[in-house]
PDB file of all heavy atoms in Angstrom:
ATOM      1  N   GLY A   4     -92.895 104.110 -94.533  1.00  0.00           N
ATOM      2  CA  GLY A   4     -93.742 103.647 -93.440  1.00  0.00           C
ATOM      3  C   GLY A   4     -95.034 104.425 -93.306  1.00  0.00           C
ATOM      4  O   GLY A   4     -96.102 103.855 -93.093  1.00  0.00           O
ATOM      5  N   TYR A   5     -94.950 105.759 -93.440  1.00  0.00           N
ATOM      6  CA  TYR A   5     -96.163 106.578 -93.366  1.00  0.00           C
ATOM      7  C   TYR A   5     -97.134 106.198 -94.489  1.00  0.00           C
ATOM      8  O   TYR A   5     -98.347 106.073 -94.270  1.00  0.00           O
ATOM      9  CB  TYR A   5     -95.811 108.061 -93.497  1.00  0.00           C
ATOM     10  CG  TYR A   5     -95.219 108.722 -92.279  1.00  0.00           C
ATOM     11  CD1 TYR A   5     -94.735 107.972 -91.219  1.00  0.00           C
ATOM     12  CD2 TYR A   5     -95.150 110.109 -92.192  1.00  0.00           C
ATOM     13  CE1 TYR A   5     -94.192 108.580 -90.106  1.00  0.00           C
ATOM     14  CE2 TYR A   5     -94.601 110.730 -91.076  1.00  0.00           C
ATOM     15  CZ  TYR A   5     -94.127 109.960 -90.033  1.00  0.00           C
ATOM     16  OH  TYR A   5     -93.591 110.571 -88.941  1.00  0.00           O
ATOM     17  N   GLY A   6     -96.592 106.070 -95.689  1.00  0.00           N
ATOM     18  CA  GLY A   6     -97.435 105.727 -96.827  1.00  0.00           C
ATOM     19  C   GLY A   6     -98.086 104.369 -96.672  1.00  0.00           C
ATOM     20  O   GLY A   6     -99.256 104.180 -96.995  1.00  0.00           O
ATOM     21  N   ALA A   7     -97.328 103.390 -96.158  1.00  0.00           N
ATOM     22  CA  ALA A   7     -97.849 102.031 -95.999  1.00  0.00           C
ATOM     23  C   ALA A   7     -99.035 101.998 -95.042  1.00  0.00           C
ATOM     24  O   ALA A   7    -100.115 101.508 -95.373  1.00  0.00           O
ATOM     25  CB  ALA A   7     -96.736 101.099 -95.519  1.00  0.00           C
ATOM     26  N   VAL A   8     -98.846 102.539 -93.843  1.00  0.00           N
ATOM     27  CA  VAL A   8     -99.905 102.514 -92.845  1.00  0.00           C
ATOM     28  C   VAL A   8    -100.998 103.541 -93.171  1.00  0.00           C
ATOM     29  O   VAL A   8    -102.191 103.257 -93.058  1.00  0.00           O
ATOM     30  CB  VAL A   8     -99.334 102.786 -91.439  1.00  0.00           C
ATOM     31  CG1 VAL A   8    -100.452 102.902 -90.416  1.00  0.00           C
ATOM     32  CG2 VAL A   8     -98.382 101.672 -91.039  1.00  0.00           C
ATOM     33  N   GLY A   9    -100.576 104.735 -93.588  1.00  0.00           N
ATOM     34  CA  GLY A   9    -101.539 105.810 -93.835  1.00  0.00           C
ATOM     35  C   GLY A   9    -102.459 105.546 -95.002  1.00  0.00           C
ATOM     36  O   GLY A   9    -103.688 105.665 -94.880  1.00  0.00           O
ATOM     37  N   TYR A  10    -101.896 105.172 -96.148  1.00  0.00           N
ATOM     38  CA  TYR A  10    -102.737 104.903 -97.314  1.00  0.00           C
ATOM     39  C   TYR A  10    -103.582 103.651 -97.102  1.00  0.00           C
ATOM     40  O   TYR A  10    -104.703 103.540 -97.621  1.00  0.00           O
ATOM     41  CB  TYR A  10    -101.887 104.758 -98.570  1.00  0.00           C
ATOM     42  CG  TYR A  10    -101.186 106.033 -98.983  1.00  0.00           C
ATOM     43  CD1 TYR A  10     -99.947 106.009 -99.629  1.00  0.00           C
ATOM     44  CD2 TYR A  10    -101.750 107.277 -98.716  1.00  0.00           C
ATOM     45  CE1 TYR A  10     -99.304 107.184-100.003  1.00  0.00           C
ATOM     46  CE2 TYR A  10    -101.123 108.450 -99.085  1.00  0.00           C
ATOM     47  CZ  TYR A  10     -99.894 108.402 -99.724  1.00  0.00           C
ATOM     48  OH  TYR A  10     -99.265 109.554-100.084  1.00  0.00           O
ATOM     49  N   ASN A  11    -103.059 102.686 -96.348  1.00  0.00           N
ATOM     50  CA  ASN A  11    -103.843 101.507 -95.985  1.00  0.00           C
ATOM     51  C   ASN A  11    -105.106 101.926 -95.236  1.00  0.00           C
ATOM     52  O   ASN A  11    -106.209 101.436 -95.505  1.00  0.00           O
ATOM     53  CB  ASN A  11    -102.988 100.591 -95.111  1.00  0.00           C
ATOM     54  CG  ASN A  11    -103.691  99.304 -94.721  1.00  0.00           C
ATOM     55  OD1 ASN A  11    -103.486  98.266 -95.334  1.00  0.00           O
ATOM     56  ND2 ASN A  11    -104.511  99.347 -93.691  1.00  0.00           N
ATOM     57  N   PHE A  12    -104.933 102.857 -94.296  1.00  0.00           N
ATOM     58  CA  PHE A  12    -106.043 103.384 -93.490  1.00  0.00           C
ATOM     59  C   PHE A  12    -107.059 104.093 -94.382  1.00  0.00           C
ATOM     60  O   PHE A  12    -108.271 103.824 -94.339  1.00  0.00           O
ATOM     61  CB  PHE A  12    -105.446 104.342 -92.458  1.00  0.00           C
ATOM     62  CG  PHE A  12    -106.345 104.689 -91.307  1.00  0.00           C
ATOM     63  CD1 PHE A  12    -107.580 104.081 -91.129  1.00  0.00           C
ATOM     64  CD2 PHE A  12    -105.938 105.632 -90.368  1.00  0.00           C
ATOM     65  CE1 PHE A  12    -108.391 104.411 -90.053  1.00  0.00           C
ATOM     66  CE2 PHE A  12    -106.743 105.976 -89.294  1.00  0.00           C
ATOM     67  CZ  PHE A  12    -107.964 105.367 -89.137  1.00  0.00           C
ATOM     68  N   PHE A  13    -106.571 104.988 -95.228  1.00  0.00           N
ATOM     69  CA  PHE A  13    -107.443 105.792 -96.094  1.00  0.00           C
ATOM     70  C   PHE A  13    -108.192 104.935 -97.099  1.00  0.00           C
ATOM     71  O   PHE A  13    -109.418 105.027 -97.237  1.00  0.00           O
ATOM     72  CB  PHE A  13    -106.603 106.842 -96.827  1.00  0.00           C
ATOM     73  CG  PHE A  13    -107.284 107.438 -98.027  1.00  0.00           C
ATOM     74  CD1 PHE A  13    -108.310 108.362 -97.877  1.00  0.00           C
ATOM     75  CD2 PHE A  13    -106.919 107.062 -99.321  1.00  0.00           C
ATOM     76  CE1 PHE A  13    -108.951 108.898 -98.979  1.00  0.00           C
ATOM     77  CE2 PHE A  13    -107.544 107.598-100.425  1.00  0.00           C
ATOM     78  CZ  PHE A  13    -108.573 108.516-100.257  1.00  0.00           C
ATOM     79  N   ILE A  14    -107.466 104.093 -97.811  1.00  0.00           N
ATOM     80  CA  ILE A  14    -108.077 103.370 -98.923  1.00  0.00           C
ATOM     81  C   ILE A  14    -109.063 102.312 -98.425  1.00  0.00           C
ATOM     82  O   ILE A  14    -110.060 102.010 -99.098  1.00  0.00           O
ATOM     83  CB  ILE A  14    -106.992 102.755 -99.836  1.00  0.00           C
ATOM     84  CG1 ILE A  14    -107.518 102.635-101.264  1.00  0.00           C
ATOM     85  CG2 ILE A  14    -106.516 101.405 -99.322  1.00  0.00           C
ATOM     86  CD1 ILE A  14    -107.823 103.963-101.914  1.00  0.00           C
ATOM     87  N   SER A  15    -108.812 101.760 -97.232  1.00  0.00           N
ATOM     88  CA  SER A  15    -109.760 100.795 -96.664  1.00  0.00           C
ATOM     89  C   SER A  15    -111.081 101.479 -96.318  1.00  0.00           C
ATOM     90  O   SER A  15    -112.160 100.954 -96.610  1.00  0.00           O
ATOM     91  CB  SER A  15    -109.165 100.146 -95.413  1.00  0.00           C
ATOM     92  OG  SER A  15    -108.004  99.423 -95.710  1.00  0.00           O
ATOM     93  N   ALA A  16    -110.991 102.647 -95.679  1.00  0.00           N
ATOM     94  CA  ALA A  16    -112.202 103.382 -95.306  1.00  0.00           C
ATOM     95  C   ALA A  16    -113.008 103.769 -96.543  1.00  0.00           C
ATOM     96  O   ALA A  16    -114.252 103.735 -96.539  1.00  0.00           O
ATOM     97  CB  ALA A  16    -111.826 104.629 -94.505  1.00  0.00           C
ATOM     98  N   LEU A  17    -112.324 104.134 -97.604  1.00  0.00           N
ATOM     99  CA  LEU A  17    -113.006 104.499 -98.850  1.00  0.00           C
ATOM    100  C   LEU A  17    -113.659 103.279 -99.499  1.00  0.00           C
ATOM    101  O   LEU A  17    -114.823 103.314 -99.915  1.00  0.00           O
ATOM    102  CB  LEU A  17    -111.995 105.130 -99.816  1.00  0.00           C
ATOM    103  CG  LEU A  17    -112.565 105.646-101.137  1.00  0.00           C
ATOM    104  CD1 LEU A  17    -113.315 106.942-100.910  1.00  0.00           C
ATOM    105  CD2 LEU A  17    -111.445 105.854-102.150  1.00  0.00           C
ATOM    106  N   ALA A  18    -112.903 102.187 -99.584  1.00  0.00           N
ATOM    107  CA  ALA A  18    -113.398 100.977-100.243  1.00  0.00           C
ATOM    108  C   ALA A  18    -114.624 100.411 -99.541  1.00  0.00           C
ATOM    109  O   ALA A  18    -115.569  99.933-100.185  1.00  0.00           O
ATOM    110  CB  ALA A  18    -112.285  99.928-100.300  1.00  0.00           C
ATOM    111  N   ILE A  19    -114.633 100.452 -98.214  1.00  0.00           N
ATOM    112  CA  ILE A  19    -115.762  99.923 -97.447  1.00  0.00           C
ATOM    113  C   ILE A  19    -117.060 100.628 -97.824  1.00  0.00           C
ATOM    114  O   ILE A  19    -118.094  99.988 -98.079  1.00  0.00           O
ATOM    115  CB  ILE A  19    -115.477 100.059 -95.935  1.00  0.00           C
ATOM    116  CG1 ILE A  19    -114.444  99.017 -95.497  1.00  0.00           C
ATOM    117  CG2 ILE A  19    -116.758  99.926 -95.114  1.00  0.00           C
ATOM    118  CD1 ILE A  19    -113.890  99.251 -94.109  1.00  0.00           C
ATOM    119  N   GLN A  20    -117.021 101.937 -97.880  1.00  0.00           N
ATOM    120  CA  GLN A  20    -118.231 102.701 -98.226  1.00  0.00           C
ATOM    121  C   GLN A  20    -118.670 102.446 -99.662  1.00  0.00           C
ATOM    122  O   GLN A  20    -119.860 102.243 -99.946  1.00  0.00           O
ATOM    123  CB  GLN A  20    -117.961 104.193 -98.048  1.00  0.00           C
ATOM    124  CG  GLN A  20    -117.608 104.610 -96.646  1.00  0.00           C
ATOM    125  CD  GLN A  20    -117.223 106.078 -96.584  1.00  0.00           C
ATOM    126  OE1 GLN A  20    -118.085 106.963 -96.623  1.00  0.00           O
ATOM    127  NE2 GLN A  20    -115.937 106.358 -96.498  1.00  0.00           N
ATOM    128  N   TRP A  21    -117.715 102.457-100.585  1.00  0.00           N
ATOM    129  CA  TRP A  21    -118.022 102.295-102.006  1.00  0.00           C
ATOM    130  C   TRP A  21    -118.571 100.898-102.292  1.00  0.00           C
ATOM    131  O   TRP A  21    -119.493 100.729-103.077  1.00  0.00           O
ATOM    132  CB  TRP A  21    -116.767 102.588-102.822  1.00  0.00           C
ATOM    133  CG  TRP A  21    -116.913 102.608-104.315  1.00  0.00           C
ATOM    134  CD1 TRP A  21    -116.059 102.025-105.216  1.00  0.00           C
ATOM    135  CD2 TRP A  21    -117.908 103.276-105.105  1.00  0.00           C
ATOM    136  NE1 TRP A  21    -116.471 102.272-106.501  1.00  0.00           N
ATOM    137  CE2 TRP A  21    -117.609 103.045-106.459  1.00  0.00           C
ATOM    138  CE3 TRP A  21    -119.030 104.042-104.782  1.00  0.00           C
ATOM    139  CZ2 TRP A  21    -118.385 103.542-107.497  1.00  0.00           C
ATOM    140  CZ3 TRP A  21    -119.810 104.531-105.815  1.00  0.00           C
ATOM    141  CH2 TRP A  21    -119.492 104.286-107.156  1.00  0.00           C
ATOM    142  N   TYR A  22    -118.008  99.885-101.606  1.00  0.00           N
ATOM    143  CA  TYR A  22    -118.478  98.514-101.808  1.00  0.00           C
ATOM    144  C   TYR A  22    -119.936  98.362-101.375  1.00  0.00           C
ATOM    145  O   TYR A  22    -120.731  97.689-102.052  1.00  0.00           O
ATOM    146  CB  TYR A  22    -117.603  97.538-101.028  1.00  0.00           C
ATOM    147  CG  TYR A  22    -118.180  96.138-100.965  1.00  0.00           C
ATOM    148  CD1 TYR A  22    -117.989  95.239-102.014  1.00  0.00           C
ATOM    149  CD2 TYR A  22    -118.941  95.731 -99.872  1.00  0.00           C
ATOM    150  CE1 TYR A  22    -118.539  93.964-101.963  1.00  0.00           C
ATOM    151  CE2 TYR A  22    -119.486  94.462 -99.808  1.00  0.00           C
ATOM    152  CZ  TYR A  22    -119.289  93.583-100.863  1.00  0.00           C
ATOM    153  OH  TYR A  22    -119.841  92.327-100.824  1.00  0.00           O
ATOM    154  N   ILE A  23    -120.305  98.945-100.241  1.00  0.00           N
ATOM    155  CA  ILE A  23    -121.680  98.825 -99.754  1.00  0.00           C
ATOM    156  C   ILE A  23    -122.668  99.331-100.802  1.00  0.00           C
ATOM    157  O   ILE A  23    -123.717  98.717-101.033  1.00  0.00           O
ATOM    158  CB  ILE A  23    -121.837  99.592 -98.422  1.00  0.00           C
ATOM    159  CG1 ILE A  23    -121.072  98.877 -97.308  1.00  0.00           C
ATOM    160  CG2 ILE A  23    -123.315  99.746 -98.058  1.00  0.00           C
ATOM    161  CD1 ILE A  23    -120.988  99.657 -96.013  1.00  0.00           C
ATOM    162  N   ILE A  24    -122.313 100.419-101.466  1.00  0.00           N
ATOM    163  CA  ILE A  24    -123.185 100.968-102.501  1.00  0.00           C
ATOM    164  C   ILE A  24    -123.176 100.085-103.749  1.00  0.00           C
ATOM    165  O   ILE A  24    -124.242  99.707-104.265  1.00  0.00           O
ATOM    166  CB  ILE A  24    -122.748 102.406-102.876  1.00  0.00           C
ATOM    167  CG1 ILE A  24    -122.886 103.342-101.671  1.00  0.00           C
ATOM    168  CG2 ILE A  24    -123.551 102.920-104.060  1.00  0.00           C
ATOM    169  CD1 ILE A  24    -124.289 103.503-101.162  1.00  0.00           C
ATOM    170  N   ILE A  25    -122.011  99.744-104.237  1.00  0.00           N
ATOM    171  CA  ILE A  25    -121.906  98.999-105.498  1.00  0.00           C
ATOM    172  C   ILE A  25    -122.529  97.617-105.393  1.00  0.00           C
ATOM    173  O   ILE A  25    -123.355  97.221-106.229  1.00  0.00           O
ATOM    174  CB  ILE A  25    -120.430  98.898-105.948  1.00  0.00           C
ATOM    175  CG1 ILE A  25    -119.883 100.278-106.330  1.00  0.00           C
ATOM    176  CG2 ILE A  25    -120.290  97.937-107.121  1.00  0.00           C
ATOM    177  CD1 ILE A  25    -120.611 100.932-107.478  1.00  0.00           C
ATOM    178  N   TYR A  26    -122.150  96.865-104.354  1.00  0.00           N
ATOM    179  CA  TYR A  26    -122.693  95.510-104.258  1.00  0.00           C
ATOM    180  C   TYR A  26    -124.192  95.536-103.978  1.00  0.00           C
ATOM    181  O   TYR A  26    -124.941  94.698-104.484  1.00  0.00           O
ATOM    182  CB  TYR A  26    -121.980  94.711-103.164  1.00  0.00           C
ATOM    183  CG  TYR A  26    -122.331  93.243-103.224  1.00  0.00           C
ATOM    184  CD1 TYR A  26    -121.724  92.406-104.153  1.00  0.00           C
ATOM    185  CD2 TYR A  26    -123.304  92.703-102.384  1.00  0.00           C
ATOM    186  CE1 TYR A  26    -122.065  91.058-104.239  1.00  0.00           C
ATOM    187  CE2 TYR A  26    -123.657  91.368-102.453  1.00  0.00           C
ATOM    188  CZ  TYR A  26    -123.027  90.554-103.401  1.00  0.00           C
ATOM    189  OH  TYR A  26    -123.379  89.229-103.482  1.00  0.00           O
ATOM    190  N   GLY A  27    -124.633  96.517-103.191  1.00  0.00           N
ATOM    191  CA  GLY A  27    -126.065  96.639-102.938  1.00  0.00           C
ATOM    192  C   GLY A  27    -126.850  96.890-104.206  1.00  0.00           C
ATOM    193  O   GLY A  27    -127.943  96.347-104.406  1.00  0.00           O
ATOM    194  N   CYS A  28    -126.299  97.719-105.101  1.00  0.00           N
ATOM    195  CA  CYS A  28    -126.977  97.997-106.376  1.00  0.00           C
ATOM    196  C   CYS A  28    -126.981  96.763-107.274  1.00  0.00           C
ATOM    197  O   CYS A  28    -127.975  96.472-107.945  1.00  0.00           O
ATOM    198  CB  CYS A  28    -126.291  99.164-107.084  1.00  0.00           C
ATOM    199  SG  CYS A  28    -126.544 100.762-106.276  1.00  0.00           S
ATOM    200  N   ILE A  29    -125.873  96.035-107.290  1.00  0.00           N
ATOM    201  CA  ILE A  29    -125.800  94.814-108.108  1.00  0.00           C
ATOM    202  C   ILE A  29    -126.792  93.772-107.590  1.00  0.00           C
ATOM    203  O   ILE A  29    -127.508  93.128-108.356  1.00  0.00           O
ATOM    204  CB  ILE A  29    -124.366  94.242-108.109  1.00  0.00           C
ATOM    205  CG1 ILE A  29    -123.413  95.190-108.837  1.00  0.00           C
ATOM    206  CG2 ILE A  29    -124.339  92.856-108.758  1.00  0.00           C
ATOM    207  CD1 ILE A  29    -121.961  94.777-108.774  1.00  0.00           C
ATOM    208  N   GLU A  30    -126.846  93.625-106.281  1.00  0.00           N
ATOM    209  CA  GLU A  30    -127.731  92.623-105.687  1.00  0.00           C
ATOM    210  C   GLU A  30    -129.201  92.950-105.930  1.00  0.00           C
ATOM    211  O   GLU A  30    -130.041  92.040-106.023  1.00  0.00           O
ATOM    212  CB  GLU A  30    -127.444  92.546-104.182  1.00  0.00           C
ATOM    213  CG  GLU A  30    -127.975  91.297-103.517  1.00  0.00           C
ATOM    214  CD  GLU A  30    -127.476  91.166-102.088  1.00  0.00           C
ATOM    215  OE1 GLU A  30    -127.256  92.214-101.434  1.00  0.00           O
ATOM    216  OE2 GLU A  30    -127.311  90.035-101.630  1.00  0.00           O
ATOM    217  N   ASN A  31    -129.516  94.231-106.043  1.00  0.00           N
ATOM    218  CA  ASN A  31    -130.908  94.648-106.255  1.00  0.00           C
ATOM    219  C   ASN A  31    -131.162  95.081-107.697  1.00  0.00           C
ATOM    220  O   ASN A  31    -132.085  95.857-107.956  1.00  0.00           O
ATOM    221  CB  ASN A  31    -131.250  95.800-105.311  1.00  0.00           C
ATOM    222  CG  ASN A  31    -131.332  95.369-103.870  1.00  0.00           C
ATOM    223  OD1 ASN A  31    -132.318  94.797-103.425  1.00  0.00           O
ATOM    224  ND2 ASN A  31    -130.265  95.650-103.111  1.00  0.00           N
ATOM    225  N   ARG A  32    -130.338  94.592-108.605  1.00  0.00           N
ATOM    226  CA  ARG A  32    -130.461  94.975-110.019  1.00  0.00           C
ATOM    227  C   ARG A  32    -131.880  94.671-110.526  1.00  0.00           C
ATOM    228  O   ARG A  32    -132.484  93.660-110.165  1.00  0.00           O
ATOM    229  CB  ARG A  32    -129.436  94.217-110.850  1.00  0.00           C
ATOM    230  CG  ARG A  32    -129.718  92.744-110.989  1.00  0.00           C
ATOM    231  CD  ARG A  32    -128.491  91.935-111.423  1.00  0.00           C
ATOM    232  NE  ARG A  32    -128.855  90.561-111.709  1.00  0.00           N
ATOM    233  CZ  ARG A  32    -129.156  89.665-110.790  1.00  0.00           C
ATOM    234  NH1 ARG A  32    -129.169  90.008-109.510  1.00  0.00           N
ATOM    235  NH2 ARG A  32    -129.459  88.420-111.132  1.00  0.00           N
ATOM    236  N   GLY A  33    -132.386  95.565-111.344  1.00  0.00           N
ATOM    237  CA  GLY A  33    -133.714  95.367-111.929  1.00  0.00           C
ATOM    238  C   GLY A  33    -134.856  95.836-111.062  1.00  0.00           C
ATOM    239  O   GLY A  33    -135.996  95.922-111.520  1.00  0.00           O
ATOM    240  N   LYS A  34    -134.579  96.144-109.797  1.00  0.00           N
ATOM    241  CA  LYS A  34    -135.632  96.606-108.895  1.00  0.00           C
ATOM    242  C   LYS A  34    -135.693  98.127-108.894  1.00  0.00           C
ATOM    243  O   LYS A  34    -134.721  98.800-109.186  1.00  0.00           O
ATOM    244  CB  LYS A  34    -135.379  96.110-107.472  1.00  0.00           C
ATOM    245  CG  LYS A  34    -135.350  94.597-107.320  1.00  0.00           C
ATOM    246  CD  LYS A  34    -135.069  94.221-105.876  1.00  0.00           C
ATOM    247  CE  LYS A  34    -134.993  92.702-105.711  1.00  0.00           C
ATOM    248  NZ  LYS A  34    -134.670  92.338-104.301  1.00  0.00           N
ATOM    249  N   THR A  35    -136.840  98.662-108.553  1.00  0.00           N
ATOM    250  CA  THR A  35    -136.994 100.112-108.394  1.00  0.00           C
ATOM    251  C   THR A  35    -137.374 100.411-106.942  1.00  0.00           C
ATOM    252  O   THR A  35    -138.116  99.658-106.312  1.00  0.00           O
ATOM    253  CB  THR A  35    -138.071 100.656-109.335  1.00  0.00           C
ATOM    254  OG1 THR A  35    -139.304  99.965-109.097  1.00  0.00           O
ATOM    255  CG2 THR A  35    -137.665 100.464-110.792  1.00  0.00           C
ATOM    256  N   GLY A  36    -136.851 101.502-106.438  1.00  0.00           N
ATOM    257  CA  GLY A  36    -137.175 101.894-105.070  1.00  0.00           C
ATOM    258  C   GLY A  36    -136.639 100.951-104.016  1.00  0.00           C
ATOM    259  O   GLY A  36    -137.244 100.800-102.951  1.00  0.00           O
ATOM    260  N   PHE A  37    -135.523 100.289-104.285  1.00  0.00           N
ATOM    261  CA  PHE A  37    -134.974  99.325-103.331  1.00  0.00           C
ATOM    262  C   PHE A  37    -134.159 100.029-102.246  1.00  0.00           C
ATOM    263  O   PHE A  37    -133.683 101.149-102.411  1.00  0.00           O
ATOM    264  CB  PHE A  37    -134.107  98.288-104.041  1.00  0.00           C
ATOM    265  CG  PHE A  37    -132.869  98.870-104.690  1.00  0.00           C
ATOM    266  CD1 PHE A  37    -131.692  99.044-103.971  1.00  0.00           C
ATOM    267  CD2 PHE A  37    -132.883  99.226-106.036  1.00  0.00           C
ATOM    268  CE1 PHE A  37    -130.565  99.571-104.558  1.00  0.00           C
ATOM    269  CE2 PHE A  37    -131.752  99.753-106.639  1.00  0.00           C
ATOM    270  CZ  PHE A  37    -130.594  99.930-105.898  1.00  0.00           C
ATOM    271  N   ASP A  38    -133.970  99.331-101.122  1.00  0.00           N
ATOM    272  CA  ASP A  38    -133.099  99.775-100.039  1.00  0.00           C
ATOM    273  C   ASP A  38    -131.934  98.803 -99.901  1.00  0.00           C
ATOM    274  O   ASP A  38    -132.108  97.579-100.043  1.00  0.00           O
ATOM    275  CB  ASP A  38    -133.860  99.826 -98.702  1.00  0.00           C
ATOM    276  CG  ASP A  38    -134.874 100.951 -98.661  1.00  0.00           C
ATOM    277  OD1 ASP A  38    -134.646 101.966 -99.348  1.00  0.00           O
ATOM    278  OD2 ASP A  38    -135.889 100.802 -97.956  1.00  0.00           O
ATOM    279  N   ILE A  39    -130.767  99.332 -99.634  1.00  0.00           N
ATOM    280  CA  ILE A  39    -129.606  98.504 -99.308  1.00  0.00           C
ATOM    281  C   ILE A  39    -129.603  98.326 -97.806  1.00  0.00           C
ATOM    282  O   ILE A  39    -129.435  99.289 -97.055  1.00  0.00           O
ATOM    283  CB  ILE A  39    -128.295  99.157 -99.773  1.00  0.00           C
ATOM    284  CG1 ILE A  39    -128.297  99.312-101.297  1.00  0.00           C
ATOM    285  CG2 ILE A  39    -127.093  98.344 -99.324  1.00  0.00           C
ATOM    286  CD1 ILE A  39    -127.110 100.101-101.834  1.00  0.00           C
ATOM    287  N   VAL A  40    -129.825  97.096 -97.355  1.00  0.00           N
ATOM    288  CA  VAL A  40    -129.957  96.807 -95.927  1.00  0.00           C
ATOM    289  C   VAL A  40    -128.576  96.603 -95.321  1.00  0.00           C
ATOM    290  O   VAL A  40    -127.766  95.821 -95.822  1.00  0.00           O
ATOM    291  CB  VAL A  40    -130.833  95.557 -95.708  1.00  0.00           C
ATOM    292  CG1 VAL A  40    -130.905  95.212 -94.223  1.00  0.00           C
ATOM    293  CG2 VAL A  40    -132.235  95.793 -96.250  1.00  0.00           C
ATOM    294  N   LEU A  41    -128.328  97.298 -94.216  1.00  0.00           N
ATOM    295  CA  LEU A  41    -127.002  97.281 -93.604  1.00  0.00           C
ATOM    296  C   LEU A  41    -127.045  96.579 -92.249  1.00  0.00           C
ATOM    297  O   LEU A  41    -127.846  96.924 -91.385  1.00  0.00           O
ATOM    298  CB  LEU A  41    -126.507  98.722 -93.428  1.00  0.00           C
ATOM    299  CG  LEU A  41    -125.010  98.950 -93.259  1.00  0.00           C
ATOM    300  CD1 LEU A  41    -124.232  98.419 -94.459  1.00  0.00           C
ATOM    301  CD2 LEU A  41    -124.716 100.429 -93.067  1.00  0.00           C
ATOM    302  N   ASN A  42    -126.184  95.571 -92.078  1.00  0.00           N
ATOM    303  CA  ASN A  42    -126.056  94.877 -90.809  1.00  0.00           C
ATOM    304  C   ASN A  42    -124.605  94.432 -90.620  1.00  0.00           C
ATOM    305  O   ASN A  42    -123.738  94.786 -91.423  1.00  0.00           O
ATOM    306  CB  ASN A  42    -127.014  93.678 -90.742  1.00  0.00           C
ATOM    307  CG  ASN A  42    -126.860  92.757 -91.950  1.00  0.00           C
ATOM    308  OD1 ASN A  42    -125.759  92.566 -92.464  1.00  0.00           O
ATOM    309  ND2 ASN A  42    -127.967  92.190 -92.406  1.00  0.00           N
ATOM    310  N   ILE A  43    -124.341  93.666 -89.567  1.00  0.00           N
ATOM    311  CA  ILE A  43    -122.964  93.242 -89.283  1.00  0.00           C
ATOM    312  C   ILE A  43    -122.419  92.385 -90.422  1.00  0.00           C
ATOM    313  O   ILE A  43    -121.239  92.480 -90.789  1.00  0.00           O
ATOM    314  CB  ILE A  43    -122.893  92.464 -87.956  1.00  0.00           C
ATOM    315  CG1 ILE A  43    -123.359  93.340 -86.797  1.00  0.00           C
ATOM    316  CG2 ILE A  43    -121.469  91.985 -87.703  1.00  0.00           C
ATOM    317  CD1 ILE A  43    -122.464  94.522 -86.513  1.00  0.00           C
ATOM    318  N   HIS A  44    -123.270  91.556 -91.010  1.00  0.00           N
ATOM    319  CA  HIS A  44    -122.860  90.738 -92.158  1.00  0.00           C
ATOM    320  C   HIS A  44    -122.369  91.632 -93.292  1.00  0.00           C
ATOM    321  O   HIS A  44    -121.341  91.344 -93.931  1.00  0.00           O
ATOM    322  CB  HIS A  44    -124.039  89.878 -92.610  1.00  0.00           C
ATOM    323  CG  HIS A  44    -123.713  88.941 -93.733  1.00  0.00           C
ATOM    324  ND1 HIS A  44    -123.614  89.346 -95.054  1.00  0.00           N
ATOM    325  CD2 HIS A  44    -123.461  87.603 -93.734  1.00  0.00           C
ATOM    326  CE1 HIS A  44    -123.321  88.315 -95.816  1.00  0.00           C
ATOM    327  NE2 HIS A  44    -123.219  87.242 -95.038  1.00  0.00           N
ATOM    328  N   SER A  45    -123.070  92.721 -93.542  1.00  0.00           N
ATOM    329  CA  SER A  45    -122.670  93.655 -94.593  1.00  0.00           C
ATOM    330  C   SER A  45    -121.316  94.287 -94.283  1.00  0.00           C
ATOM    331  O   SER A  45    -120.499  94.504 -95.177  1.00  0.00           O
ATOM    332  CB  SER A  45    -123.710  94.765 -94.744  1.00  0.00           C
ATOM    333  OG  SER A  45    -124.999  94.239 -94.944  1.00  0.00           O
TER     334      SER A  45
END
């Protein structure tokens, strides 16, 4: 039970941050000096 709820908590928080960076870089591929814009949609 601890592992189920605890690792769910940890891995979600990690994935959210990593996704914002990765998808932002993919979406702005080929550009230089770009910003990853963060909003509720993101």
Side-chain angles (χ1 to χ4, degrees):
Y5 283 14
V8 174
Y10 294 149
N11 182 98
F12 196 6
F13 162 75
I14 208 64
S15 298
L17 184 75
I19 286 168
Q20 299 174 77
W21 186 224
Y22 169 83
I23 290 171
I24 297 297
I25 293 299
Y26 191 79
C28 290
I29 293 174
E30 197 171 31
N31 290 281
R32 70 198 187 287
K34 299 179 182 178
T35 56
F37 64 86
D38 290 332
I39 298 173
V40 177
L41 200 59
N42 53 36
I43 299 294
H44 183 282
S45 306

